[in-house]
Amino acid sequence: ENGYSTWNQIRLNKTGPGNSFDAWIASANRNESLEKTGLKGSKDGIDFVVNVKTGYKSNLMQCAATQLSNAMKHAANKNQAKMMELLVEAFTTGSMDAHKDASR
């Protein structure tokens, strides 16, 4: 498991000539453990290269994480508080695993 998936909020940018792309994962902070460069692939006979980066929409993701963190003190129960804690982690780091765990 690489820690990201198509469920992440992603923006895809074409970078230069050829089939090279940057895939940006939404997160408040840069998360080097999720970032990868030079991932090669092929689809329908077309080769491409993808660089995965984090920090897309960082201002909005930080705002959401801050508001959820502030709301935790008003949680109705431990389950709701844990859900908000995991969403704060997901919005801060871009972790899809934390986002999924928040829904369990």
Side-chain angles (χ1 to χ4, degrees), residues 9 26-29 55-68 87-88 90-92:
Q9 174 63 43
S27 63
N29 299 331
Y56 176 61
K57 297 286 188 182
S58 60
N59 291 341
L60 292 173
M61 299 303 281
Q62 183 60 57
C63 181
T66 298
Q67 294 302 318
L68 278 168
L87 286 173
V88 167
F91 294 164
T92 302

Side-chain angles (χ1 to χ4, degrees), residues 60-84:
L60 292 173
M61 299 303 281
Q62 183 60 57
C63 181
T66 298
Q67 294 302 318
L68 278 168
S69 184
N70 291 336
M72 278 195 287
K73 61 186 167 200
H74 303 290
N77 54 51
K78 290 180 183 179
N79 288 339
Q80 196 176 68
K82 185 65 175 175
M83 176 193 70
M84 286 188 258

Side-chain angles (χ1 to χ4, degrees), residues 11-24:
R11 177 185 175 105
L12 191 64
N13 292 340
K14 187 166 176 51
T15 56
N19 295 318
S20 180
F21 301 90
D22 285 344
W24 285 89

